[in-house]
Amino acid sequence: MYTNLNRIKRDIETLSGFNDSPGEGLTRFSLTDADRGAREYLRKELIKIGLKVYEDSAGTLFGRMEGTDPDAPVILIGSHFDSVRNGGNFDGPAGTIMGLEIMRVLKEKNIRTKYPIEFVGMIEEEGGRFGAGVFGSRAMTGKVTYEDLKRNKDENGISMAEAFETFGFDPHKIDESARKSKDLKAFIELHIEQGPVLENGNIDLGLVDFIVGISEFRVIVRGRPDHAGTTPMHLRKDPLVAASELISEIGDYAVEAGEGTVATVGVLDVKPGAANIVPGEVRLTVDIRSKSADCMKSVRDSIERKLDELAKARGVTFEIDDLLSVNPVTMSPEILSVLKKKADEEGFPYKVMTSGAGHDAMIMASITPTGLIFVPSKDGRSHCPEEWTDYEDLQKGIELICHTIIEIGEAQ
Ligand SMILES: [Zn+2]
């Protein structure tokens, strides 16, 4: 192995000390003292390697190793180092110290790449403090404005703009954090899986091909509220009976669509909601996720067809309100193929899998070819104090990206 298990363990353990809820998991919100502590540790380690360390106007920390071609676009490696409230030590930091450890390896092995490489440590990915998630990557892709910073406030009413100023960043310069596609060669992230698939399959690494898209909408079914005792069955327009027919079929639509598509009804509201009244209105939410936009559309079409059918059969009317629509994101097939090749060479068991959760990689893919790998989460747990990844597994993930960088970066 090129990478060093003890250093990896030390990085994770040291970062976990910058914590605002000791004894109750890790809480490291953005632009706080805990952020400062973690940032200064990372900065110190990057300086030790001899990198050019800087921050962008969105508070993202970078450490740059020049390539042999001064004009070549840069390869970014890293993740975020903020956390949710009472979370764990690995969600974010695992990918952040991946970047750090790889930089150490390149330095000590004297590996020079044609393309420059930059360590990336982002904040507010979780949206834990200001409610505006995947913040660092959105800023890097030019999607954050000064107005956004004024608008997003923490629970004490402090805006992100104020917090940036107090911390020592100029919020008016937020635009300057945007990177241009032509200046980027790739972004590669490592993240904990946050699910049980790798551990259950006894597989070391997950190589992500797609990040799922999400389609969320509300269906309102209207019928006629009537007396539960005096209205004969054949004269009712019961929206709850109609809605239950729909709900019982939604899972089948997802399975029929294929490609691992999933669909969930998570909210059901019945009005007026009394035991002795035939319901008059039912509201339910549908959440469809898939790596294929066509599959998501096919589930939606099936739902609309069913609603048309129910409207005729049961005398109800319906309405659909869109709540959220996110397209599936493709990870770079070129980077994925190098990851596969290197995993084979290193003898690391892996599985190509789709990510059911969004990450900074999802945002970065809009401006540069992007790769994402997962390391196993014990019992599939995350965002809790029990969150755990074995250091040996984390090391394999870092080792894999290290060899991938050496190839993609065209080491001389
Ligand atoms: Zn994360």
Side-chain angles (χ1 to χ4, degrees), residues 80 91-92 125-126 191 359:
H80 64 97
D91 182 346
E125 190 273 344
E126 305 285 4
H191 204 277
H359 296 290

Coordinates of all heavy atoms in Angstrom, one line a residue, residues 80 91-92 125-126 191 359, ligand 1:
H80 N -16.4 17.1 2.2 CA -16.7 18.2 3.1 C -16.2 17.8 4.6 O -16.0 16.6 4.8 CB -18.2 18.4 3.1 CG -19.0 17.3 3.6 ND1 -19.5 17.2 4.9 CD2 -19.5 16.2 2.9 CE1 -20.2 16.0 5.0 NE2 -20.2 15.4 3.8
D91 N -18.7 10.9 8.0 CA -19.5 11.5 7.0 C -18.9 12.8 6.6 O -19.1 13.8 7.3 CB -21.0 11.6 7.3 CG -21.8 12.2 6.2 OD1 -21.2 12.8 5.2 OD2 -23.0 12.2 6.3
G92 N -18.1 12.9 5.5 CA -17.4 14.1 5.2 C -15.9 13.9 5.4 O -15.1 13.8 4.4
E125 N -22.0 21.1 3.7 CA -22.6 20.2 2.8 C -23.9 19.7 3.3 O -24.8 19.4 2.6 CB -21.6 19.0 2.5 CG -22.0 18.0 1.4 CD -23.0 16.9 1.8 OE1 -23.1 16.7 3.1 OE2 -23.6 16.3 1.0
E126 N -23.9 19.5 4.7 CA -25.1 19.0 5.3 C -26.2 20.0 5.4 O -27.3 19.7 5.7 CB -24.7 18.4 6.7 CG -23.6 17.4 6.7 CD -24.1 16.1 6.2 OE1 -25.2 15.9 5.8 OE2 -23.3 15.1 6.2
H191 N -16.8 8.8 -0.1 CA -17.8 9.1 0.9 C -18.2 7.8 1.6 O -18.1 6.7 1.0 CB -19.1 9.7 0.3 CG -19.9 10.6 1.3 ND1 -20.8 10.0 2.1 CD2 -19.9 11.9 1.6 CE1 -21.3 10.9 2.9 NE2 -20.8 12.1 2.6
H359 N -24.5 14.1 -3.0 CA -23.3 14.5 -2.4 C -22.7 15.7 -3.2 O -23.2 16.0 -4.2 CB -22.3 13.3 -2.4 CG -22.8 12.2 -1.6 ND1 -22.8 12.2 -0.2 CD2 -23.2 10.9 -2.0 CE1 -23.3 11.0 0.2 NE2 -23.5 10.3 -0.8
Ligands
ZN1 ZN -21.5 13.8 3.6

